[in-house]
Amino acid sequence: MNVMELKCLVAGKPVTGQDTLTVRNPYHGGIVGTVVVASPADVEAAITAACGAGSPPSRFERSVILEKTRAALEERSEEFARTITAEAGLCLRETRYEVGRTVDVLRFAAMEALRDDGQIFSCDISAQGKARKIFTLREPLRCAVAITPFNHPLNQVAHKLAPAIAAGTPMILKPSEKTPLVALKFASLLYEAGLPPAMLSVLLGPTAQVAEPLVRDERVESVSFTGSVAVGKRIASTAGYKRIVLELGGNDPLIVLEDADLELAAHLAAEGSFRNSGQRCTAIKRILVQESVAEEFTALLVRKTAEYRAGDPFDENTRVGTVIDEASAIYLETVVREAETAGARVLIGGRRQGALIEPTVIADVPRDCRMVVHESFGPLAPILKVRDLEDAITLANGTRYGLSSGVVTRRMDWALEAVRRLRCGTVNINEVPGFRVENSPFGGIKDSGLGIKEGVIEAIKCFSTVKTFSLPWS
Ligand code: NAP
């Protein structure tokens, strides 16, 4: 793959900045691209352009832009998958899947752009009423900012941009500096599909020069952020008087109960822990298994794990590529060694080579290990034994996070009890915590988010405001 030389974009035009960001492949360290980043003047120009964008295209035009982008992405899906693999080190199985998900986001957003979202309230329904009707309509924001993380570097971006376009809201995107290439390529697809340039700028650069001024600026009406808890809380404290949407980290459990189909449980545990190199906010970060079936489940998971070959992300046989960089892999290796010192046993995996860390199953993990108390963003599968459902729910809830969860059981009463009592945004029965479709409501509570949902339909609401008006109706 040739080295990509890209520039940040202000309303479709290259930035005036001079500084360059270099993007390296996490597997071999070679340069995959460079990006000319934004200057403070570019940040100002992007905000001015967004606020001056004027009336948005019609609903039909917005839908057509999203549909054309979808078609272009489908046509170039392999190129986009390879771009993600080059900059993020994720294997092709994952990056092709991610492009497919992004196609869905665009398709659903194109559909939603056409849907009339107004409501009508008759006013003669009370003794205090009148012969009037109240109507609602949704209006775009003047200017929104989206800040996205490195994992799922295309789909996270699409989950902000496509709903904003469907809502008619101009957007300034600040993608991760670790994965800027696919974000900039995606922006080009949108412009080529007819998006008015003023409706989108893509900026990168030092945090103090780009992200923080965008977050603080009073002309920006909404900041939609996906990333770590630490940065999310910093944004919450600096954004001031504006709408903020925070999709933060997770520490999701998979609860395996004694009546579970253990083959299914082992399959879900492996997929949930190792897909995307374990770098999903909703990856399984803790496996809570009822004592009576722990031994049998663990043996099945170890056997399954052997199928997840770690290696060169561009090799078609690789099932697990690298994590985002060597520092992250070293952190993962450290928490595994800490757990071992505390009495846990590594049953398979555990070795590191650069940014590559093998899918690792760790049994008998003490409940207070850093690996399971904080988010471990990598292909680790820590197993903790629980006495019963009660113990599992207490342990699952005993974390600062509350994003998602999975429960493997055949019993409806246990399934429903888990749905009722797990304090998190999603509960998936006999599925991985990360399961969703791109238009279903998604998002966490506690440190994982403020409970404001994303997903195409909900995100459109975040990028618009409801106007209420009434008319005489006699
Ligand atoms: P991160 O370090 O928080 O970075 C996310 C974004 O925030 C990047 O674009 C980063 O820019 C930017 N940023 C850094 N400091 C900032 C500041 N002071 N003000 C404004 N923006 C700032 O997260 P990450 O390591 O890329 O992503 C992994 C995390 O995201 C994990 O915790 C994962 O669970 C979470 N995540 C959550 C969801 C969800 O839906 N809940 C989905 C995916 C990921 P630079 O790249 O320039 O530093």
Side-chain angles (χ1 to χ4, degrees), residues 147-152 156 174-178 204-207 211-212 215 225-232 234-235 238 246-250 279-282 285 375 377 401 403 436 442-444 448 454:
I147 302 177
T148 52
F150 69 78
N151 69 314
H152 297 304
Q156 293 293 349
K174 210 306 277 163
S176 169
E177 66 169 24
K178 293 169 183 156
L204 290 131
T207 304
E212 289 190 337
V215 167
F225 171 80
T226 300
S228 63
V229 175
V231 175
R234 183 170 167 77
I235 288 173
T238 55
L246 301 174
E247 294 292 352
L248 309 181
Q279 298 173 128
R280 300 182 70 171
C281 51
T282 51
K285 313 261 166 66
E375 181 181 44
F377 218 51
Y401 302 87
L403 191 55
R436 61 163 160 157
F442 169 81
S448 296
E454 286 201 320

Side-chain angles (χ1 to χ4, degrees), residues 277 323 325-342 344 346 348-360 362 369-371 375-381:
S277 299
V323 291
D325 52 26
E326 187 167 5
S328 302
I330 290 171
Y331 174 80
L332 294 164
E333 192 183 29
T334 305
V335 294
V336 171
R337 297 289 97 84
E338 277 177 16
E340 281 187 306
T341 306
V346 171
I348 184 169
R351 286 174 305 184
R352 181 185 69 81
Q353 191 194 331
L356 197 66
I357 183 135
E358 290 175 338
T360 304
I362 316 110
C369 270
R370 186 149 64 130
M371 180 196 294
E375 181 181 44
S376 296
F377 218 51
L380 307 183

Side-chain angles (χ1 to χ4, degrees), residues 215-266:
V215 167
R216 279 197 301 265
D217 198 287
E218 289 185 359
R219 291 165 292 176
V220 171
E221 292 185 326
S222 170
V223 173
S224 178
F225 171 80
T226 300
S228 63
V229 175
V231 175
K233 287 192 171 178
R234 183 170 167 77
I235 288 173
S237 69
T238 55
Y241 186 71
K242 57 175 65 78
R243 186 182 305 179
I244 55 171
V245 179
L246 301 174
E247 294 292 352
L248 309 181
N251 193 12
D252 292 357
L254 180 75
I255 298 174
V256 181
L257 296 171
E258 63 185 7
D259 68 315
D261 173 342
L262 292 184
E263 286 281 355
L264 172 68

